């Protein structure tokens, strides 16, 4: 009887692993498709065949398809950098959300809950408030990145000084720091010296991918990609930490060290993303939560799937932001909120009914 149950469990595990592999491949294909579509659609529509040919040509792969020089310039100089920045930021937010939900053992948590996004926003608002962007285009992303790291450092410091090591206390400290930083931003916005500074601040806080270049891609890609790889190494530890700190410690996991490492990687990824895109919500909340409800909490699959899902989600949101009300562009953070909030509410209702 016991051998039969064991055989059934092995069969179920193999079937789930096969299904997860299929879904992972599907997510990769979806991301590739969204990147091609996003590069093709715009004020200047470019045939899909030409878009694929232009991108493959940059990878030193010839397709034999004639390419219009103007289309190549539009894709390589304008659209592709913007799309890649969107994919990197979305991937960073998606995997960071999965990590945070695993650390807090709460599917309704996202990176912004521990002050990363607010810290980046405050420093960015300060730069815009004093008009420092006139000196260099890199002052704004650098300030936002420093603010994100400073916020997570402050949260962890207060958490340690409280001498309460529970993860719930960390969440409460993060919420408190968020409220304080939001108040600081409100003061700066209310006292903006000119309408131009006010518009710049509001524009950045809504999130956007306008005027992103290959320099932005090069700036954030090493930080995000390396952090993703390092975070995936801790998939097993995250799985064990879902059982509770004591149980994880008894299996040989250094819970304290693992938690600090994963929080640092989350801060790096989120900070790098927010630094070039502004504050974008719901991606780190909706995407990993959806994948978890559908395919379970195995972080060996959940982390890379959340990265791919987050990248596709943000690229699709960028398409909507550019095409919804032409010739005007809606900020991508607004689109994510419009799409993400109803999806999130639907998931909450379904999970309460036990249908997923």
């Amino acid at each position: 009887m016991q051998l039969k149950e064991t055989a059934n469990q092995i069969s179920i595990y193999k079937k789930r692993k096969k299904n997860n592999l299929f879904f992972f491949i599907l997510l990769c294909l979806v991301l590739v498709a969204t990147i091609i579509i996003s590069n093709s659609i715009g004020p200047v529509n470019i045939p899909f065949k030409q878009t694929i040919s232009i991108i493959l040509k940059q990878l030193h792969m010839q397709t034999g398809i004639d390419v219009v020089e103007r289309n190549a310039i539009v894709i390589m100089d304008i659209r592709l950098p913007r799309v890649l920045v969107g994919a990197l930021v979305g991937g960073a937010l998606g995997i960071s959300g999965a990590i945070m939900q695993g650390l807090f053992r709460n599917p309704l948590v996202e990176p912004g809950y521990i002050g990363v996004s607010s810290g980046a926003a405050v420093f960015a608002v300060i730069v815009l408030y004093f008009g420092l962007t006139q000196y260099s285009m890199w002052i704004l992303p650098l300030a936002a990145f420093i603010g994100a790291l400073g916020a997570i450092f402050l949260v962890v410091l207060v958490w340690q000084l409280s001498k309460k090591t529970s993860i719930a206390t960390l969440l409460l400290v993060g919420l408190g720091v968020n409220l304080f930083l939001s108040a600081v931003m409100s003061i700066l916005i209310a006292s903006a010296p000119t309408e131009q500074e006010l518009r710049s601040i509001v524009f950045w806080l809504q999130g956007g991918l306008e005027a992103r270049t290959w320099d932005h891609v090069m700036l954030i890609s090493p930080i995000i990609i390396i952090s993703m790889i390092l975070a995936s190494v801790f998939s097993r530890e995250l799985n064990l930490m879902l059982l509770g700190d004591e149980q994880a410690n008894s299996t040989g996991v250094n819970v304290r060290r693992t938690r600090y490492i994963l929080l640092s990687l989350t801060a790096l990824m989120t900070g790098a993303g927010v630094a070039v895109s502004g504050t974008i919500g719901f991606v780190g909340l909706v995407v990993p939560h959806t994948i978890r409800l559908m395919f379970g909490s195995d972080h060996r699959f959940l982390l890379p799937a959340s990265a791919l899902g987050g990248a596709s989600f943000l690229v699709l949101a960028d398409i909507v932001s550019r095409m919804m009300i032409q010739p005007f562009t809606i900020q991508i953070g607004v689109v994510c909120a419009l799409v993400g909030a109803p999806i999130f509410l639907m998931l909450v209702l379904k999970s309460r009914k036990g249908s997923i």
Side-chain angles (χ1 to χ4, degrees):
M1 191 66 166
Q2 186 175 1
L3 289 174
K4 187 176 180 180
E5 291 179 357
T6 303
N8 288 336
Q9 290 177 354
I10 293 174
S11 177
I12 293 172
Y13 173 76
K14 288 183 177 179
K15 185 177 180 180
R16 180 176 295 176
K17 188 175 181 180
K18 185 178 180 180
N19 291 339
N20 286 351
L21 178 61
F22 170 78
F23 185 68
F24 184 80
I25 294 173
L26 181 62
L27 281 174
C28 291
L29 295 176
V30 168
L31 178 58
V32 172
T34 54
I35 289 175
I36 293 172
I37 293 171
S38 184
N39 276 286
S40 300
I41 296 177
V44 178
N45 288 322
I46 299 173
F48 293 140
K49 288 183 179 180
Q50 283 206 23
T51 300
I52 296 171
S53 179
I54 291 168
I55 295 174
L56 290 179
K57 187 177 180 181
Q58 297 302 314
L59 299 174
H60 305 290
M61 299 172 63
Q62 299 298 326
T63 61
I65 300 174
D66 293 331
V67 174
V68 178
E69 186 64 25
R70 184 195 65 173
N71 292 343
I73 293 173
V74 169
I75 289 179
M76 296 309 303
D77 294 344
I78 300 174
R79 291 184 185 172
L80 188 57
R82 172 179 179 147
V83 171
L84 291 180
V85 168
L88 286 167
V89 173
L93 294 175
I95 194 173
S96 296
I99 293 171
M100 294 299 296
Q101 291 170 12
L103 286 176
F104 286 95
R105 297 188 288 274
N106 187 333
L108 305 181
V109 173
E110 67 166 353
Y113 282 33
I114 57 171
V116 179
S117 298
S118 296
V122 166
F123 273 59
V125 168
I126 291 173
V127 167
L128 294 170
Y129 181 89
F130 289 104
L132 301 179
T133 53
Q134 61 180 315
Y135 299 108
S136 173
M137 63 175 290
W138 300 113
I139 290 180
L140 181 59
L142 180 62
F145 186 66
I146 293 173
L149 297 183
I152 189 65
F153 176 78
L154 176 62
V155 168
V156 172
L157 178 62
V158 175
W159 181 41
Q160 289 301 305
L161 292 176
S162 69
K163 297 182 179 180
K164 295 180 180 179
T165 58
S166 69
I167 200 71
T169 303
L170 176 59
L171 179 59
L172 291 174
V173 173
L175 291 175
V177 171
N178 260 327
L179 291 173
F180 173 76
L181 295 176
S182 296
V184 173
M185 278 191 291
S186 297
I187 294 173
L188 293 172
I189 292 172
S191 59
T194 66
E195 184 179 349
Q196 179 61 38
E197 273 75 23
L198 179 60
R199 288 174 62 88
S200 298
I201 291 171
V202 173
F203 191 79
W204 192 90
L205 290 176
Q206 291 178 342
L209 299 175
E210 293 77 10
R212 295 301 173 257
T213 66
W214 287 106
D215 290 333
H216 293 98
V217 176
M218 294 297 103
L219 177 68
I220 66 171
S221 55
I223 299 172
I224 291 177
I225 292 173
I226 293 173
S227 297
M228 283 182 178
I229 295 172
L230 293 176
S232 298
V233 173
F234 291 90
S235 298
R236 173 184 171 274
E237 285 79 359
L238 266 175
N239 285 341
L240 293 172
M241 289 169 67
L242 292 176
L243 303 174
D245 290 357
E246 292 183 5
Q247 185 70 24
N249 276 316
S250 66
T251 58
V253 177
N254 189 327
V255 174
R256 183 187 180 93
R257 184 187 67 185
T258 301
R259 187 171 289 151
Y260 282 148
I261 291 174
L262 289 174
L263 284 173
S264 299
L265 292 174
T266 299
L268 283 172
M269 287 187 286
T270 306
V274 172
V276 297
S277 68
T279 53
I280 297 175
F282 283 101
V283 179
L285 182 63
V286 172
V287 173
H289 188 45
T290 303
I291 295 175
R292 179 181 285 104
L293 288 174
M294 295 174 63
F295 298 96
S297 299
D298 187 350
H299 288 88
R300 291 173 298 179
F301 170 76
L302 181 62
L303 293 186
S306 296
L308 290 171
S312 298
F313 183 88
L314 201 59
V315 173
L316 286 171
D318 184 46
I319 296 174
V320 175
S321 72
R322 288 187 281 123
M323 302 302 295
M324 181 180 287
I325 310 177
Q326 287 188 317
F328 303 103
T329 299
I330 302 174
Q331 291 297 90
I332 193 171
V334 176
V335 174
C336 287
L338 287 173
V339 176
I343 294 176
F344 176 68
L345 292 175
M346 181 183 67
L347 292 172
V348 171
L349 292 174
K350 284 189 174 182
S351 62
R352 285 178 62 86
K353 293 177 181 178
S355 59
I356 295 183

